[in-house]
Amino acid sequence: MQVSSVNDVKIYNLSYGKSLPEWLSDRKKRQLQKKDVEIQRRIELIQDFEMPTVCTSIKVSRDGQFILAAGTYKPRIRCYDTYQLSLKFERCLDSDVVAFDILSDDYSKLVFLHCDRHVEFHSQHGHYYKTRIPKFGRDFSYHYPSCDLYFVGASSEVFRLNLEQGRFLNSLQTDAVENNVCDINPIHHLFATGSSEGRVECWDPRVRNRVGKLDCALSSLAEGTEVQALPSISALKFNSSLTMAVGTTTGQVLLYDLRSSQPLLVKDHLYNLPINSLNFHNQLDLVVSSDSKIIKIWNKDTGKLFSSIQPQTNINGVCVYPNSGMLFTANEDPKMNTFYIPALGPAPRWCSFLDNLTEELEESPESTVYDDYKFVTRKDLENLGLTHLIGSSLLRAYMHGFFMDIRLYHKVKSMVNPFAYEEYRKDKIRQKIEEARTQRVQVKKLPKVNKELALKLMEEGDDEAEVVSRKKKGKALPSILGDDRFKVMFENSDYQVDEQSEEFRLLNPIVSKVGQKRKKKLRLLAQQAAVSEQVPEDNDEEPEGRASSEEESSDDDKSWVEEVREQRRLLRQEDRDRRRQERKDADRNTVLVEREQNGGEECSNVAESKKTSQPQFYQIKAGEEFRSFNDMARKQKLQKTSLEERLKLEEHSETSGTADTAVGSKQLTFTLKKSEQQKKQQQAEREHHEERKKLRRSAGHLSSSRGRGRGWGGRGRGRH
C-alpha cells in the first residue's frame, strides 16, 4: 500500500507493490511471502484483480456485489465477487469489447458492443444471443422504460434495438457526421449524443423528436488558447435532472444546466488529452474527471481542485464505487488499480477493515525513512574519512551517493572538524558586515574580459530588481555574472566579443550610442575604484561623480534607423577599400623581374643598350586576366565604337602591318583550303563579271544640256 497526500487529502493506493507471476506455483508464492517484506506488507484486496495484458473498462453492478472488467489479450470479461473477495468467473470473447453495460442488478444480464459491429448478450449461464448493427459502434445506452438499446458510432444515425420485441426500430437521424458517446438521464430519460463536430443533440424517447442542440466546441475554448483541432465530444454524463457534464478531446470539461446554452463552468485538465470518463460524487458535490494521464477531483460549483491522482500507467477508464471513497481504474497495464480516499467517504461494507487501518495510520504517523538518514556523495565520504565503510551495512547505495544514519554523520562531522563553531561564528560576523555595507556606495568590480557586456548585465539586473520590488511579487532571477556556468566567458580571452565584426555592428543598431555611454560609465567606475582605494573604508562620504544616465539627454526612439544606415555605409566603404587594396597588391605581385638598376656611373652605353634590349618577363596567375599597357585601353575604346568604325580600323591595321602589343609583333593569318569545285565556281563567277563589264554602256548621252534628264519639267515633255 502506498500513501500519498495531494492538496492535504490522503490517497491510499491499495494495488501498489510487487505482483507475483501467474506461472509460479502456490508453494513458491508462499515461500516468497515468507522471505520478501514488501510482499508481506502488500494488501491484496481482491484476489487476481488484474488482466493478462490490458484492461479497457470496468463497472460495478447496481447491488454493489459484483465488479466486471473487460480486457485483452485474449478478449475476455472477468467478474469479481466482493463478498468473497475473489474471481467469480471469466469468459473469453471473439473480439475486443468497445463498451459494455449491466442491465440487471447483478451480473445475470450483460450487453457487449464489439469492435466488429457485433452486439453480444450474456445471461447468467453464459452466451445468450449475438446480432449485428449496420455501422461500427462506439457507445450505447439502455432505456429501461421502453427496453430500447441506443447505439451510436461512425454514422449520423442512432440505431434502436428493442429487446422486448427482438427487432430493430426506426433510427434517429442526427445532423452530425459521426457520434462518439451517448447517455440517458436517469430521472426524465432524456437521451443525448455527442458528435465529432463538438455538438450535443438531445432527444425525447417518447416522441422520437430532437428537443435541443448544443454547440460545445466554441464554449470550451478560452481566450488566448491555441486551437490545434476542432474539439470533439469524448465523454458525456448526466447528474440529477438538470446537470450535464461534457468532456472534449482537447482536455476541457463543461458543466451545463439544461435550461441554458452557456456552460456554468469550464474545467481544463491542461494536458490537451481527451477526457475519457466523467463521474459525479453527490455527497460532496464533486466531479471526478480523467484523461489518459491524470484523475482530477474538483468542486462542481467553483471548479476548485479537491485532489488528483496520477498513476504510473495510462488510464482507460475510472469507476467510482457507489456511496464510498473507493474508485477503480482500468489501465494500460495488467494490474487494475484500487484507490481509497477516506475524505470522499467510508470504505464499502465488504472491506470495512480499511477504515480501521487508515485510522491507525493517521493516529500514529511514522516519519519517512529519509528523515533519519543523510545523503552523502563519495566526495563527502572522502572528506569525512569514511570511504572504508562503502559496502558495509552502515551505508546504503542510492543513485550517485549513499544514505547514512544522521546521528553517525553528526558525530563524525564534529570529530573531523572541531572548529566548526568558530567558522560558523565568523560567517555570521561576515554576513552582518556585508549587510551594513549595503547602505554605502557600492563600487562595481568588472571582470577583465567582456567589461561592457558585464556592465550591461549589471544594468539589466538592477532594472529587473527595481521592477520586482515595485510589483512585490516573487524574486528576481539570478544574474549571469553570479552563475558559475558562465564564469569562463568573463575570464577566458577567447570569449571576447568582437565589436568590429560585421554581424555585431548590424545586429546591434544602437551599438554606437549605447557603447559611448557605456564607455563613459566604465571610465567613471574606474575613477571611483581609484578613489575608493585611496579613501579608507570607514569613510562614508560618497565620491562625487557625474550625473546618472537617466539625467543624460535621451535619443529619439527612431534614431537606431539612422545608425543602421550609417553602419551599412561604413561597411560598404570598408569593403570597397579592401577590394581596391587587394587589386593593387595583385598587380604589384604580377611583376617577377624588374629592370635592373644601374650599378654605377661608369657603365658604358653599350651595356645600357643591352640592358634596355633585354626582354622583361611577367607572370600571369591562374584565374586572372592579363592587363597589358596599351591593349586594354584600346579594347575598351573599341567596345564603345560602332561596327563601321571597327571595320575601318581593322582594314587600316592590315595595311599598316604589325600591331604594337606587349607579347610581340608577329601575326599569323589562317585561311581555309577550298575544294576544286569551289575554285572552278569562283573562277566562272569572275569571268562572268568581266564579260558583263565589257558589255555595259555609259548613260551620259541621255543627259540634256540644261543638266536635266528626260522627264524633267513640263515643256520638255512630248518634244521630239
Side-chain angles (χ1 to χ4, degrees):
M1 182 174 63
Q2 183 187 34
V3 184
S4 60
S5 178
V6 179
N7 204 11
D8 295 333
V9 176
K10 289 290 186 64
I11 300 172
Y12 297 89
N13 186 359
L14 305 179
S15 303
Y16 183 79
K18 294 182 179 179
S19 59
L20 299 178
E22 295 181 355
W23 44 266
L24 284 179
S25 61
D26 295 338
R27 182 180 178 183
K28 191 67 174 178
K29 289 181 181 179
R30 287 193 298 268
Q31 291 178 357
L32 287 175
Q33 289 178 356
K34 292 179 181 179
K35 296 179 181 179
D36 199 335
V37 180
E38 294 185 1
I39 296 178
Q40 292 177 3
R41 294 179 179 177
R42 183 186 58 174
I43 296 177
E44 191 173 5
L45 192 62
I46 301 176
Q47 188 178 2
D48 298 330
F49 194 65
E50 57 186 13
M51 282 286 172
T53 307
V54 173
C55 180
T56 56
S57 57
I58 185 170
K59 287 189 177 183
V60 179
S61 61
R62 286 199 294 272
D63 58 4
Q65 183 180 354
F66 302 99
I67 301 173
L68 288 97
T72 191
Y73 177 81
K74 300 179 179 179
R76 67 189 67 202
I77 182 76
R78 284 185 173 182
C79 179
Y80 298 92
D81 191 348
T82 57
Y83 291 172
Q84 303 296 328
L85 297 179
S86 61
L87 178 66
K88 186 173 182 63
F89 65 85
E90 177 184 12
R91 298 173 185 171
C92 291
L93 307 172
D94 295 335
S95 58
D96 291 333
V97 176
V98 177
F100 77 96
D101 198 2
I102 307 171
L103 303 185
S104 59
D105 293 338
D106 55 1
Y107 68 93
S108 58
K109 294 180 181 179
L110 304 175
V111 182
F112 300 97
L113 176 61
H114 294 280
C115 62
D116 57 356
R117 294 192 295 162
H118 279 98
V119 180
E120 191 171 350
F121 298 90
H122 282 223
S123 61
Q124 189 172 5
H125 66 272
H127 177 269
Y128 179 76
Y129 183 73
K130 191 174 184 180
T131 185
R132 202 173 188 184
I133 57 176
K135 299 290 184 179
F136 289 97
R138 296 177 181 174
D139 195 9
F140 71 93
S141 296
Y142 181 64
H143 186 235
Y144 285 91
S146 62
C147 299
D148 287 343
L149 277 173
Y150 291 85
F151 296 95
V152 297
S155 174
S156 60
E157 296 181 274
V158 179
F159 306 107
R160 294 194 303 149
L161 177 61
N162 188 272
L163 301 185
E164 184 180 8
Q165 302 177 22
R167 65 186 182 92
F168 282 96
L169 304 179
N170 293 332
S171 303
L172 303 180
Q173 183 65 40
T174 63
D175 294 339
V177 179
E178 294 178 348
N179 293 292
N180 296 330
V181 291
C182 63
D183 193 25
I184 294 180
N185 193 292
I187 297 177
H188 49 69
H189 305 290
L190 183 69
F191 174 70
T193 63
S195 65
S196 58
E197 289 85 4
R199 297 188 183 93
V200 175
E201 298 185 14
C202 298
W203 299 74
D204 189 353
R206 297 172 297 181
V207 295
R208 296 188 299 277
N209 291 330
R210 187 174 62 193
V211 296
K213 185 168 66 172
L214 192 62
D215 192 353
C216 303
L218 295 177
S219 301
S220 63
L221 300 175
E223 295 182 359
T225 57
E226 297 182 359
V227 180
Q228 298 180 354
L230 180 66
S232 303
I233 307 300
S234 60
L236 189 64
K237 188 70 175 179
F238 280 104
N239 182 44
S240 68
S241 59
L242 296 176
T243 306
M244 179 180 65
V246 179
T248 63
T249 55
T250 54
Q252 291 85 23
V253 180
L254 295 86
L255 286 181
Y256 282 94
D257 191 314
L258 295 181
R259 297 167 293 184
S260 175
S261 61
Q262 296 297 325
L264 301 175
L265 182 66
V266 178
K267 180 68 175 179
D268 195 347
H269 274 217
L270 302 177
Y271 280 96
N272 201 22
L273 296 173
I275 305 296
N276 52 31
S277 69
L278 291 171
N279 294 277
F280 287 91
H281 195 276
N282 295 323
Q283 286 79 9
L284 299 178
D285 291 334
L286 299 176
V287 179
V288 182
S289 58
S290 69
D291 54 26
S292 60
K293 191 76 173 178
I294 193 172
I295 303 171
K296 289 194 175 184
I297 307 172
W298 45 279
N299 191 289
K300 69 176 183 180
D301 296 327
T302 61
K304 185 178 179 181
L305 183 67
F306 179 78
S307 184
S308 63
I309 304 172
Q310 190 167 359
Q312 297 179 353
T313 55
N314 291 340
I315 304 168
N316 292 328
V318 177
C319 176
V320 179
Y321 196 90
N323 303 321
S324 71
M326 181 173 289
L327 53 91
F328 307 100
T329 61
N331 313 306
E332 289 287 328
D333 191 67
K335 186 180 294 184
M336 295 179 286
N337 290 333
T338 304
F339 296 96
Y340 175 51
I341 307 175
L344 293 181
R349 289 188 304 170
W350 49 273
C351 57
S352 57
F353 62 90
L354 289 177
D355 290 332
N356 300 329
L357 182 62
T358 54
E359 288 176 3
E360 291 176 2
L361 292 175
E362 291 179 359
E363 288 176 0
S364 58
E366 296 180 358
S367 59
T368 57
V369 178
Y370 303 105
D371 293 340
D372 297 333
Y373 286 83
K374 172 69 176 177
F375 180 80
V376 291
T377 60
R378 189 177 291 271
K379 187 176 181 181
D380 296 336
L381 292 177
E382 292 176 357
N383 296 332
L384 296 174
L386 299 178
T387 54
H388 62 281
L389 296 180
I390 297 177
S392 65
S393 59
L394 297 176
L395 294 179
R396 182 177 292 273
Y398 182 77
M399 294 179 66
H400 61 283
F402 305 90
F403 275 114
M404 65 181 301
D405 194 286
I406 191 67
R407 294 170 296 179
L408 176 63
Y409 175 79
H410 288 311
K411 187 175 181 179
V412 176
K413 185 74 174 176
S414 60
M415 294 174 61
V416 171
N417 191 4
F419 303 102
Y421 176 74
E422 294 295 332
E423 295 180 0
Y424 172 77
R425 183 171 173 272
K426 290 180 181 179
D427 292 338
K428 283 294 182 181
I429 295 173
R430 192 181 298 108
Q431 291 177 6
K432 292 290 184 181
I433 294 174
E434 293 295 334
E435 291 176 0
R437 286 180 177 177
T438 54
Q439 301 176 359
R440 302 174 57 186
V441 176
Q442 299 292 328
V443 178
K444 299 180 179 179
K445 295 183 180 180
L446 298 176
K448 297 180 180 179
V449 181
N450 289 328
K451 291 185 178 180
E452 296 190 4
L453 178 60
L455 183 60
K456 177 184 176 183
L457 294 175
M458 289 180 181
E459 294 175 354
E460 292 178 353
D462 296 341
D463 297 341
E464 185 178 356
E466 183 179 357
V467 171
V468 172
S469 63
R470 289 178 181 176
K471 293 183 178 180
K472 295 181 180 180
K473 293 181 180 179
K475 298 181 180 179
L477 296 175
S479 175
I480 296 179
L481 294 173
D483 199 334
D484 295 338
R485 296 175 296 175
F486 304 99
K487 65 179 181 180
V488 184
M489 187 170 60
F490 302 100
E491 296 177 357
N492 193 347
S493 59
D494 295 338
Y495 293 92
Q496 179 66 40
V497 178
D498 187 9
E499 297 183 359
Q500 301 300 325
S501 62
E502 180 179 354
E503 294 80 3
F504 183 85
R505 293 166 65 179
L506 290 179
L507 293 177
N508 294 270
I510 54 175
V511 65
S512 59
K513 294 186 177 299
V514 176
Q516 293 174 3
K517 294 180 182 179
R518 210 165 275 137
K519 288 177 181 178
K520 293 179 182 178
K521 198 163 185 177
L522 285 173
R523 289 195 296 268
L524 181 61
L525 290 174
Q527 294 176 3
Q528 291 179 357
V531 171
S532 63
E533 291 178 358
Q534 298 176 2
V535 179
E537 294 183 355
D538 296 336
N539 190 6
D540 294 334
E541 296 181 358
E542 281 188 326
E544 296 182 359
R546 297 183 59 183
S548 63
S549 59
E550 296 180 355
E551 298 176 358
E552 296 180 359
S553 59
S554 60
D555 299 328
D556 189 13
D557 294 339
K558 296 185 178 180
S559 61
W560 62 272
V561 180
E562 299 296 332
E563 293 295 329
V564 172
R565 292 176 180 173
E566 181 65 20
Q567 293 295 332
R568 288 180 177 173
R569 187 187 64 79
L570 292 175
L571 288 173
R572 288 195 295 269
Q573 182 66 28
E574 292 175 2
D575 191 24
R576 286 196 296 269
D577 296 342
R578 180 175 54 79
R579 291 181 180 178
R580 190 181 296 111
Q581 185 65 29
E582 290 178 356
R583 192 180 298 113
K584 288 182 180 180
D585 295 341
D587 293 340
R588 188 181 297 110
N589 293 332
T590 54
V591 179
L592 298 179
V593 179
E594 297 182 353
R595 291 184 177 182
E596 295 181 358
Q597 299 295 333
N598 191 359
E601 297 179 356
E602 299 177 358
C603 296
S604 61
N605 295 331
V606 178
E608 291 180 0
S609 63
K610 288 182 179 180
K611 285 183 180 181
T612 55
S613 62
Q614 289 179 356
Q616 298 179 0
F617 298 95
Y618 300 90
Q619 180 183 7
I620 301 176
K621 295 183 178 181
E624 293 186 0
E625 182 182 359
F626 175 73
R627 300 183 180 91
S628 62
F629 302 104
N630 298 325
D631 191 39
M632 191 64 189
R634 186 173 63 82
K635 287 182 179 179
Q636 292 178 355
K637 187 176 181 181
L638 284 175
Q639 289 178 357
K640 298 179 181 179
T641 57
S642 61
L643 178 62
E644 183 181 2
E645 293 177 355
R646 289 201 298 270
L647 292 175
K648 289 181 180 180
L649 289 174
E650 289 180 1
E651 292 177 358
H652 181 266
S653 63
E654 288 178 0
T655 57
S656 62
T658 61
D660 186 12
T661 61
V663 296
S665 59
K666 301 297 181 181
Q667 288 186 352
L668 297 176
T669 304
F670 297 92
T671 56
L672 297 176
K673 185 177 181 180
K674 298 179 181 179
S675 61
E676 294 294 334
Q677 185 177 358
Q678 290 177 350
K679 291 180 180 180
K680 290 181 180 180
Q681 186 177 358
Q682 289 180 359
Q683 183 65 25
E685 289 178 357
R686 284 196 294 271
E687 292 177 357
H688 177 71
H689 285 310
E690 292 294 333
E691 184 180 357
R692 295 291 295 175
K693 286 181 181 179
K694 293 178 181 179
L695 296 176
R696 189 171 58 185
R697 293 174 294 179
S698 175
H701 64 280
L702 299 177
S703 60
S704 61
S705 60
R706 297 181 181 180
R708 294 181 180 178
R710 297 178 104 180
W712 289 86
R715 283 183 283 178
R717 186 176 296 176
R719 300 176 72 181
H720 299 283

